[in-house]
Amino acid sequence: MTLPARSHLPLSAALAALALLAACTPEPPAEAPPPAVEAPPPPERPDPPVDLAALRRERAESARAAKARAEAAAASPASRNMRDYLAGVEQALIARGRLRTDSGDEIALTPEKLADTFIEVALYDEYVREGGKLVSRPTPAPLRRWQQPVALRLEFGDSVAPDQRARDRAEIAGFAARLARISGHPVALTGGAGNVTVLILNEDERRAIGPRLAALVPGIPPGDIAALRDLAPQNYCTVFAYSNGNSPVYAQAVALIRAELPPRMRRSCMHEELAQGMGLANDSPRARPSIFNDNEEFAYLTRHDELLLQILYDARLRPGMTEAEVRPIVLQIARELLDTEA
């Protein structure tokens, strides 16, 4: 922005010069004030009428077009096969008593068990990079979490119909509010720019996601792009969180959820990936009752998982702390949360 030229005279000198000019200028004869002009105000112009019927027709036509695009995109052989496969997986899991929707309150929880689970889930990575590829192997890591508010933004593939998009937005907005309430850290769904992008894509859309990922996360490792692009069928969803350099503070994250998922698995993926993106990066076979367990016993965030999030964002912990630094503090917090004495 260019500013207009201004005098370089100091303010006090400028005021003095103005006073001197006023004193040296003869006082002009008083003139009679001009007569007041009286005129009626301009008439108000009514807003142009809104053709509500035309507006409704336009919206309906737009919705029909979006639905047609979604049906066409979802009708590809790859997407149909994945949708059938995932529907069968959900039915089989439920038949075996998996994907429970309760909180597992009958499972005993002690401070020691809660502290051990927190260490395994928050201070280990589920994968390690080897030769540019991601290899599944729990690896010690420092405590990591967000410092800035978490702003979630959604990106849908054309295969996701408008009514499904509305349900997904409502689910994620409600869960974001729950995460904020539990952790005490700001989390919300945004309609603008965000630092956590949730991609809901079908098979064909995911396989073409490379350029979009490179734009979303400048410098994203090629191995991460490959992992998301070539996601194995048994991986229903995933999240990648990134820091700046070696910082233990998260700066950006990308979550991927398969558009073909049936309702219970779809909601389960939203719970697990968004909660993991808060800093609970690992799964553990000893985490129970918990969604941070690959046995799929529980579908949704449990009371146990809420406690893990409360511990993670407790002010007594700091990003970058090691297991040795964290353990005694976490045990004390667990005792307080479970209201027990040492």
Side-chain angles (χ1 to χ4, degrees), residues 186-220:
V187 185
L189 179 64
T190 177
N195 45 28
V196 177
T197 302
V198 182
L199 302 168
I200 302 182
L201 310 171
N202 76 352
E203 276 292 281
D204 308 277
E205 293 157 349
R206 195 201 69 252
R207 291 172 181 173
I209 196 60
R212 181 59 183 146
L213 288 173
L216 281 172
V217 187
I220 183 173

Side-chain angles (χ1 to χ4, degrees), residues 217-293:
V217 187
I220 183 173
D224 293 7
I225 293 179
L228 290 162
R229 183 193 62 221
D230 306 327
L231 200 65
Q234 63 270 25
N235 292 337
Y236 316 127
C237 45
T238 190
V239 65
F240 285 66
Y242 298 95
S243 303
N244 292 323
N246 294 322
S247 170
V249 175
Y250 286 143
Q252 193 174 6
V254 177
L256 175 65
I257 296 172
R258 292 182 182 273
E260 296 93 350
L261 284 165
R264 193 180 299 191
M265 290 178 67
R266 191 185 200 92
R267 188 179 182 212
S268 177
C269 268
M270 292 173 181
H271 280 218
E272 181 175 4
E273 303 312 331
L274 295 183
Q276 283 202 313
M278 294 289 289
L280 300 172
N282 192 28
D283 287 329
S284 168
R286 286 172 289 280
R288 189 171 183 263
S290 177
I291 59 172
F292 305 117
N293 190 318

Side-chain angles (χ1 to χ4, degrees), residues 254-332:
V254 177
L256 175 65
I257 296 172
R258 292 182 182 273
E260 296 93 350
L261 284 165
R264 193 180 299 191
M265 290 178 67
R266 191 185 200 92
R267 188 179 182 212
S268 177
C269 268
M270 292 173 181
H271 280 218
E272 181 175 4
E273 303 312 331
L274 295 183
Q276 283 202 313
M278 294 289 289
L280 300 172
N282 192 28
D283 287 329
S284 168
R286 286 172 289 280
R288 189 171 183 263
S290 177
I291 59 172
F292 305 117
N293 190 318
D294 286 334
N295 65 5
E296 311 293 348
E297 181 181 7
F298 289 87
Y300 309 138
L301 201 74
T302 65
R303 173 59 182 157
H304 169 268
D305 299 330
E306 291 182 342
L307 295 173
L308 296 179
L309 279 166
Q310 286 181 265
I311 294 172
L312 178 63
Y313 282 87
D314 191 287
R316 284 167 283 186
L317 299 180
R318 301 183 312 279
M321 294 178 78
T322 65
E323 178 179 344
E325 295 171 313
V326 162
R327 185 173 287 280
I329 303 172
V330 167
L331 184 57
Q332 178 58 38

Side-chain angles (χ1 to χ4, degrees), residues 108-115 303-304 307 332-341:
L109 190 60
T110 66
E112 291 75 18
K113 179 182 176 183
L114 182 59
R303 173 59 182 157
H304 169 268
L307 295 173
Q332 178 58 38
I333 298 171
R335 287 171 177 150
E336 294 170 6
L337 291 174
L338 296 175
D339 199 22
T340 61
E341 296 296 330

